[in-house]
Amino acid sequence: RDHNNHRFWSIIGEDKNKNYLDLECLDMRSHETATQALFKDDLGRYFIQRMVYGERHIVNAWSMLDRPVYSHLNHCLVLNVIGHQSLSFKFSSQTEQPIAIKPDQPLVFATMDQQDQLEVLQCADQEKGPFTTKATVNPHADNEFLCLYDQGELICRLRISDWIVQSSRDYSPTAGYGVAQNTMEVIINGAKESSPVMFWFSLAHTSVGRGFQSVGHQKGNYRMHLQLEWGK
């Protein structure tokens, strides 16, 4: 789904047999409560570090891009949730009740807007607008959490402040209606409320709306500091 240096579709413009996701592992170290690794590919270098402190898990990930990268779909974080009965979510600064995740409904997603507000929106048809606002949040940029509930009981909190700070506020060329390029999409993979749920975080892409236009990530360093806390 990436583009070549001329911003043309790689699957059309270059060798289809080439795997653009090939990573070379430069270093990996691990012991009982921590793991870290360094990778590289033709776009840059990537460092990931995981530490466990009791019920608290911390993951630090850095992407160091050697050049701008243009793409249609691009995720900086994918969170997979399984084993629940009926999942709902809210943000730690959200005053509204948790939002239920239901199968067979149009896409629900969150986005940071141009006023630095975090909006939770629901599409009218699949991933297309117009959009209905389900929550409006004034997030704490340095300490905001995504909170997950199963049957109304809090099961975990995930710190997402780096996504909030680095997200592109530029308008999406595909979504329309003033929606920005950044999204946290909520995907339920099945026909039951207990089906696996995925949260797709993107700093800039064009999944929502109509079309396949590309948007860019500038050359430089990107950080994702994740802090996962179990229970209340």
Side-chain angles (χ1 to χ4, degrees):
R1 297 183 176 92
D2 194 14
H3 293 70
N4 62 18
N5 292 333
H6 303 291
R7 298 184 63 183
F8 194 70
W9 292 109
S10 296
I11 56 174
I12 300 174
E14 295 189 2
D15 185 359
K16 294 181 181 180
N17 296 318
K18 181 178 178 180
N19 185 351
Y20 291 90
L21 297 180
D22 281 344
L23 290 175
E24 178 185 354
C25 182
L26 302 179
D27 183 60
M28 180 174 290
R29 304 178 187 183
S30 180
H31 57 82
E32 186 174 343
T33 59
T35 302
Q36 65 181 40
L38 177 65
F39 302 91
K40 68 171 291 188
D41 63 8
D42 61 338
L43 299 178
R45 293 164 295 148
Y46 315 94
F47 178 77
I48 187 167
Q49 179 185 59
R50 175 177 177 266
M51 296 166 286
V52 180
Y53 302 99
E55 295 296 315
R56 187 160 55 102
H57 294 242
I58 294 176
V59 176
N60 291 309
W62 287 267
S63 297
M64 295 152 279
L65 300 181
D66 294 333
R67 60 179 174 85
V69 177
Y70 298 91
S71 58
H72 162 48
L73 302 180
N74 194 314
H75 303 124
C76 62
L77 168 66
V78 175
L79 175 65
N80 296 308
V81 184
I82 60 174
H84 55 273
Q85 296 301 312
S86 178
L87 200 68
S88 59
F89 75 94
K90 66 174 291 188
F91 296 97
S92 53
S93 298
Q94 181 178 323
T95 58
E96 295 89 346
Q97 292 296 309
I99 298 169
I101 301 172
K102 301 288 187 181
D104 301 322
Q105 68 177 7
L107 176 69
V108 173
F109 67 99
T111 182
M112 291 294 301
D113 66 16
Q114 286 73 25
Q115 289 73 45
D116 290 332
Q117 286 189 319
L118 181 56
E119 289 191 302
V120 182
L121 306 174
Q122 184 167 28
C123 299
D125 178 26
Q126 298 182 357
E127 77 284 3
K128 301 174 180 65
F131 308 106
T132 301
T133 301
K134 302 183 74 69
T136 301
V137 184
N138 292 308
H140 295 291
D142 59 347
N143 197 34
E144 189 68 28
F145 286 81
L146 171 67
C147 305
L148 302 184
Y149 299 80
D150 187 12
Q151 297 180 313
E153 182 178 351
L154 179 65
I155 55 175
C156 69
R157 306 194 321 151
L158 178 68
R159 183 184 180 275
I160 56 168
S161 299
D162 282 348
W163 172 72
I164 289 174
V165 171
Q166 296 174 104
S167 290
S168 171
R169 307 308 202 259
D170 291 342
Y171 291 115
S172 168
T174 58
Y177 302 96
V179 171
Q181 296 172 8
N182 71 87
T183 59
M184 182 202 78
E185 299 174 78
V186 184
I187 311 293
I188 184 166
N189 190 18
K192 299 180 179 180
E193 290 189 7
S194 59
S195 299
V197 173
M198 295 177 290
F199 293 84
W200 292 351
F201 291 83
S202 300
L203 300 180
H205 75 162
T206 53
S207 174
V208 175
R210 296 170 172 83
F212 301 93
Q213 290 95 323
S214 65
V215 291
H217 288 66
Q218 295 182 0
K219 173 183 176 180
N221 299 332
Y222 297 85
R223 187 191 82 155
M224 188 65 66
H225 172 78
L226 304 173
Q227 180 175 309
L228 180 66
E229 300 175 356
W230 296 103
K232 297 181 179 180

